[in-house]
Amino acid sequence: MKVGKVMKTVVHTISPGATVEQAVRQFVKKKVGTLPVIDDNGLFRGTVVMNRLLNVFLPDFVNLIGNVSYLKDYGSLELNSDTCNMDIIDKPVESVIELDHSSLDEDSGLLAALAIMKNAQVPDLPVLKDGRLVGLVSYVDIGRGILELLQEKCSMETDNES
Amino acid sequence: MSLNLFLFAGADTGTGAAGGYNPMNMVLSGAIFLIILILIMREKIHRTLTAMLGAVAIGLLGIWFNFYSTEQAVHAVDLSTIGLLFGMMVMVILLNKTGFFEFAAIYTAQMTKGRPILLMIFLGFLTSFLSMFLDNVTTVVLIAPVTLLIAEVIGMNPVPFLLGEAMLSNIGGTATLIGDPPNIMIAAANPKFHFLSFITTLGPITALAWIFGLAFLIFAFRKVFRLKPRKLEALQKIKPREALTDPVNAKKVLIVLAVVLVLFCFHHTIQLQPSLIALFGAALSLLLTKADLDDVFKRVEWAVLIFFACLFVVVGGLEHAGVLSLLSEKMVALAKIDVKLAGLVILWGSALLSAVVDNVPYTMAMIPVLSDIQREIGNANALWWALALGAGLGGNGTPIGSTAGIIVIALSEKTRSRITFKMWLKVGIAVTVITCLVATAFVLFAYNWLNR
């Protein structure tokens, strides 16, 4: 089964100059976790992933130490209206985080999509045709595709038995 | 002997395959070593790659000009140093996986109740103490991120603590045979020096230097330390035991480390090389913790080990080309005139050079020189200690003078609390001068004790 068959075709996007605030508003308003960046010519430039964007609010030592599950109170760093870094909000998204450039062609299979998503650690993958965005495939879409295949197999076996 | 006379006299120490030292070989290999030092200092190319290129270059030159054979290059690699570094690295990796270093740092910080000056003293002491028995680079790598956590959580500027830890760990590491790579190399080259002789000789000197260094750091950062931490209670809320994720294996590795340290203390009596003891500790820790070997070996800093191996090849080439004999000759002449002056030249020269170039290649190059002096004047113990002190304490002069410094700077660059070159120099130069003055006092007024 090809990803083109299971992908979502209604995809919310942002433009390359979008600020962090615009991106976060779009994530919240559209209730999505991934926003492909599409330039003025309609070409795919990369993807902004919500959790990566939120990571900029994490203190630096989290990345350096790894396991900080023993730290329950972040003290002076705890997020509140005083400490929240307002400088970031007006900056273009691309200057704050690196865009994810993983994508795949609509003719690719489900396993190719699954492998790329696993390696890139992204929840959704843009599907392209000639460099232009035609859809977005998520783990749920791949699961649905696999389920359809299983059902198809079951019904074929039932037909053969009868 | 004048330079020209020396160059053309065909002085034969039995090292050159061509029978004598050829000025061309000396110039070429000297130039390669100088280029390596500059490249390491500029940090544009990874220092391991620089050392690899240098080893290949000097190896090829040696073969073409017939002064350094492949066999001699292979023999130049001191497996004692590399084995000791590897063994200690493995034990630290296993201990780190248990969360012990986070536990120790948080526990220590909680004892200070977040009082800034005490925090500086206690964390500085912890890092220095660990640096005495583990490589100080490793110690800084493990303690600095937790220091960042503690300082940021309580609302303090982490820069003074990070700078203090790097500098104090450099001083602490100078105290023992295993605390600093130059000491490991000095011990490997000098069978007379054992673990206890390092601690009993360098221990008191570095302890005094440490106190003076710390006092200066507290004075330099007095304005920061006057500020009250904003969220002290957050520090006391952390449960250090939760950071210790694998207490069973932590205990096992700590016991093995303790055994290793005891064996280090008596290695000269039981006639075991420190490298063999470290490798025994590593193997026993791996066995007892049932660690995943692939995972542990992935974490070993192979780049550091390869850096050392390649530098040994380069310095071996320098030795065979006769470059180091030239320096030896001058130093021997000086030592014969005034041995204390030679000690001071070695101490301050080493400190100055270690501040601007990596102290590992520098010490490697100085070892054959001091061996020559020892052969000529007999007992040169004080000069060896001067080298260890200069190479260890001088590293604080600039951020590129020690690997611990480079690591703290690199770590701060990943955070919002950047330590700039200028910031480091402001305190580093003074700390180096103060600590080297302490060492100078010993060279001048306790020479016989040093030379015992």
Side-chain angles (χ1 to χ4, degrees), chain A residues 56 60 65 70 72-73 76, chain B residues 152-153 155 237 242 415-416:
Chain A
V56 299
D60 307 304
I65 297 175
Y70 51 85
K72 309 289 192 297
D73 181 354
S76 70
Chain B
E152 289 195 336
V153 164
K237 274 187 203 164
E242 285 181 17
T415 73
R416 295 167 184 94

Side-chain angles (χ1 to χ4, degrees), chain B residues 186 189-190 193 367 370-371 374 380-389:
Chain B
I186 288 171
N190 211 327
F193 289 176
I367 283 172
L370 284 195
S371 300
Q374 189 160 269
N381 287 358
L383 303 185
W384 285 101
W385 297 129
L387 172 65
L389 287 164

Side-chain angles (χ1 to χ4, degrees), chain A residues 2-158:
Chain A
K2 308 291 183 198
V3 285
K5 218 176 156 189
V6 296
M7 69 186 183
K8 285 182 275 290
T9 49
V10 179
V11 184
H12 302 287
T13 61
I14 53 167
S15 58
T19 63
V20 171
E21 185 179 4
Q22 288 168 332
V24 174
R25 283 190 189 283
Q26 186 83 327
F27 279 126
V28 175
K29 194 173 155 193
K30 304 294 180 190
K31 292 181 181 154
V32 290
T34 304
L35 286 172
V37 180
I38 305 297
D39 69 14
D40 294 342
N41 300 321
L43 293 173
F44 171 73
R45 291 271 299 266
T47 315
V48 183
V49 184
M50 178 70 157
N51 62 349
R52 290 190 192 172
L53 191 58
L54 291 182
N55 279 351
V56 299
F57 293 97
L58 271 178
D60 307 304
F61 60 75
V62 175
N63 289 326
L64 296 170
I65 297 175
N67 174 30
V68 281
S69 56
Y70 51 85
L71 189 63
K72 309 289 192 297
D73 181 354
Y74 277 67
S76 70
L77 300 171
E78 205 60 68
L79 284 179
N80 57 47
S81 49
D82 289 337
T83 59
C84 210
N85 192 350
M86 292 302 290
D87 302 342
I88 291 174
I89 212 89
D90 293 327
K91 286 184 181 167
V93 173
E94 286 173 71
S95 71
V96 175
I97 58 161
E98 214 172 295
L99 296 183
D100 188 277
H101 294 285
S102 352
S103 66
L104 86 171
D105 197 81
E106 65 171 345
D107 290 333
S108 310
L110 296 186
L111 289 180
L114 205 53
I116 294 172
M117 285 163 76
K118 182 184 171 287
N119 285 334
Q121 295 184 314
V122 287
D124 306 284
L125 200 57
V127 182
L128 308 183
K129 187 179 182 185
D130 303 324
R132 288 170 193 278
L133 185 77
V134 290
L136 199 67
V137 64
S138 67
Y139 281 112
V140 173
D141 300 325
I142 296 172
R144 200 178 61 239
I146 292 173
L147 206 60
E148 273 176 31
L149 291 174
L150 288 173
Q151 280 168 345
E152 218 170 274
K153 192 182 174 190
C154 277
S155 59
M156 275 170 66
E157 280 174 358
T158 318

Side-chain angles (χ1 to χ4, degrees), chain B residues 298-366:
Chain B
K298 257 183 217 160
R299 294 171 193 234
V300 169
E301 288 171 68
W302 295 108
V304 173
L305 299 179
I306 293 166
F307 173 68
F308 271 82
C310 293
L311 276 184
F312 275 123
V313 172
V314 173
V315 174
L318 282 186
E319 215 180 332
H320 283 85
V323 179
L324 299 180
S325 299
L326 189 65
L327 184 60
S328 290
E329 174 135 327
K330 304 289 162 206
M331 287 306 298
V332 167
L334 179 65
K336 278 181 177 168
I337 299 166
D338 187 341
V339 77
K340 274 190 192 175
L341 182 64
L344 290 181
V345 168
I346 290 172
L347 171 72
W348 286 93
S350 305
L352 191 72
L353 279 168
S354 295
V356 288
V357 299
D358 196 312
N359 62 8
V360 173
Y362 167 74
T363 311
M364 261 185 211
M366 281 302 285

Side-chain angles (χ1 to χ4, degrees), chain B residues 222-236:
Chain B
R222 61 194 180 282
K223 282 183 188 159
V224 179
F225 294 145
R226 263 187 222 136
L227 301 172
K228 229 179 162 192
R230 281 178 285 135
K231 292 278 180 185
L232 266 182
E233 65 281 3
L235 173 64
Q236 299 308 118

